[in-house]
Amino acid sequence: MTSDTVSASERNDSRAPLLPESQHNLKDSDCKNASFSGAVFNLSTTIVGAGIMGLPATMKILGLVPGISLIVLVGLLTNVSIEILLRFSRACKATSYGGVMADAFGPLGRILLQICVIINNLGVLIVYMIIIGDVVSGTSANGVHHSGILEEWFGVCWWTGRKATLLFTTIFILVPLVSFRRVDSLKVTSAISVALAVLFVVITACIAIFKLFSGNLHMPRLFPVIVDQTSLWKIFTVVPVLITAYLCHYNVHPIHRELKTSSQMQSVVQASLTLCAAIYITTSLFGYTLFGDQTMDDVLANFDTNLGVPYSDILNDIVRISYAVHLMFVFPVIHFALRLNLDGLIFPSAQPLASDTWRFVLITAGLVGIAFVGAVFIPSIWLAFQFTGATAAVCLGFIFPGAIALRDTHGISTRKDKFIALVMIILAGISCSIAVYSDIDQLLQKSSTVPNSPTL
């Protein structure tokens, strides 16, 4: 039997990986050479994305005590859900998230998983490109224009505009990065990305500490302020943000397959989650302390004014540039899983993607093109990002792993596993349902108040 026949037959196997080129087109010694540190950086890069910029706003809603507690709790639940995925992967010999879902729920489970990954990751990539455009070329909201870095440096002209800067970024930075066919090839950019996220945290912390000792900061709220039903429902809107911030499940198996010592994967997950939780807590604490009740949904937008510290303008530029570059380096890691699942959904019986250059190029170019068009024509999708977190992201992060443990096709779930799985599903389902209801209610309230606004 030829290798092509083997590849095709295994693509039809529900336990086969969605993108199996790392196992079929490369020698074992070539594909399983990812180091522990490289795996940690790649998984951490998957976790730390745009979600970090929304975390200070969650502190504004929740207060520091419940806010930090919820960051820790969601991190612990994420660790449990990934441990469930890895354990059931070993039991059914699956090498992908889709394979585990197919083993538990058949082909329909695999397809549902792929659809959720595609919806979530494509939405995330569009958000990344929107933020990059906002940082580089500026943005306008509620009649207020926030200048981008190029506008501040060179003024307003055609090549500092949103379309031109995003087109340049896409062609010369993002396209080369998404052209790699193995996730381990991104370990260097992933390490830089994590370092840039840490740089953002350090600068924010230093500014906050400086202003604190200068007596220019007030003590932030420790607990939420609940005055009516609307403020109560608003508390639940932070849940999709936190779920999205920790979501990395779709890249666990690709990183696991390339790890030199596969038994270290759970340690990789724990190290990554610990690193990211520390970054999240520090960012939330100092970001909210620095800006207080003026903290915006995207805290990066707060860095276009005088911070009240020496070299404020320079620090503002460093923060925005480092974060824009961070997102550029996160983009290919998210794109990798998106391309993997889209190919598995559209071409389930085709030969491995790495051996079909034309298919690889077309899928890659198509996805990058959709993200570019979305970023150009959608001014802001933060609300849509919340809906994505409350639907596709919550399914990927908690509902699907919990359902796999409850289904327990191999009889390996303990009573504790099933209890935790049930708690995860109930908490995630109720919280995100309330979050969606709250978002819809806010939209309806805004639309109903527009006609009644006074005319001058």
Side-chain angles (χ1 to χ4, degrees), residues 7 147 255 294:
S7 300
S147 298
I255 293 172
Q294 303 303 315

Side-chain angles (χ1 to χ4, degrees), residues 359-441:
R359 197 167 92 245
F360 181 88
V361 170
L362 289 175
I363 292 178
T364 301
L367 292 174
V368 173
I370 293 173
F372 171 78
V373 172
V376 169
F377 291 101
I378 300 176
S380 175
I381 59 169
W382 285 109
L383 190 58
F385 201 17
Q386 274 198 337
F387 280 111
T388 302
T391 53
V394 73
C395 288
L396 294 171
F398 297 109
I399 293 179
F400 288 167
I404 289 171
L406 293 176
R407 180 78 169 177
D408 195 20
T409 54
H410 297 275
I412 60 175
S413 287
T414 63
R415 183 175 299 178
K416 178 182 177 181
D417 292 332
K418 294 183 177 181
F419 174 77
I420 294 176
L422 188 61
V423 169
M424 282 196 307
I425 293 175
I426 294 175
L427 289 179
I430 293 176
S431 300
C432 289
S433 297
I434 296 176
V436 171
Y437 168 79
S438 178
D439 288 333
I440 294 175
D441 184 58

Side-chain angles (χ1 to χ4, degrees), residues 205-219:
C206 290
I207 295 173
I209 292 172
F210 178 87
K211 295 189 69 174
L212 184 64
F213 280 100
S214 300
N216 295 326
L217 288 181
H218 299 288
M219 181 65 183

Side-chain angles (χ1 to χ4, degrees), residues 133-342:
D134 291 346
V135 169
V136 177
S137 62
T139 183
S140 297
N142 300 323
V144 179
H145 181 71
H146 299 273
S147 298
I149 293 174
L150 292 183
E151 284 184 356
E152 293 178 357
W153 291 354
F154 304 105
V156 179
C157 54
W158 70 268
W159 57 272
T160 63
R162 188 182 197 86
K163 294 180 182 178
T165 54
L166 282 179
L167 183 62
F168 180 89
T169 302
T170 300
I171 294 176
F172 294 102
I173 299 177
L174 299 181
V175 169
L177 288 174
V178 300
S179 298
F180 290 107
R181 305 194 185 194
R182 295 182 59 240
V183 69
D184 188 57
S185 301
L186 300 168
K187 61 185 177 183
V188 175
T189 56
S190 294
I192 297 174
S193 175
V194 174
L196 290 173
V198 173
L199 176 64
F200 167 80
V201 173
V202 170
I203 292 177
T204 304
C206 290
I207 295 173
I209 292 172
F210 178 87
K211 295 189 69 174
L212 184 64
F213 280 100
S214 300
N216 295 326
L217 288 181
H218 299 288
M219 181 65 183
R221 283 186 293 103
L222 298 180
F223 296 94
V225 176
I226 302 175
V227 295
D228 52 23
Q229 183 178 354
T230 300
S231 60
L232 176 61
W233 291 147
K234 191 175 181 181
I235 291 177
F236 290 90
T237 62
V238 306
V239 176
V241 177
L242 288 171
I243 291 175
T244 303
Y246 276 107
L247 190 64
C248 61
H249 302 62
Y250 48 80
N251 260 353
V252 168
H253 289 87
I255 293 172
H256 186 202
R257 290 200 302 270
E258 296 180 6
L259 192 61
K260 186 182 300 182
T261 306
S262 58
S263 60
Q264 292 182 321
M265 191 59 205
Q266 191 61 44
S267 298
V268 168
V269 172
Q270 293 171 353
S272 300
L273 290 175
T274 301
L275 172 62
C276 294
I279 293 174
Y280 286 168
I281 291 173
T282 308
T283 302
S284 303
L285 175 63
F286 289 110
Y288 176 49
T289 301
L290 183 59
F291 299 111
D293 288 335
Q294 303 303 315
T295 303
M296 302 182 69
D297 291 341
D298 174 13
V299 74
L300 201 67
N302 288 106
F303 286 91
D304 69 334
T305 57
N306 192 331
L307 299 174
V309 297
Y311 309 106
S312 175
D313 291 340
I314 296 176
L315 290 175
N316 277 333
D317 288 346
I318 292 175
V319 166
R320 289 183 290 175
I321 292 173
S322 64
Y323 185 65
V325 176
H326 163 75
L327 289 184
M328 293 176 191
F329 287 162
V330 175
F331 191 97
V333 180
I334 308 300
H335 183 278
F336 183 91
L338 173 60
R339 179 176 56 203
L340 179 152
N341 283 275
L342 182 62

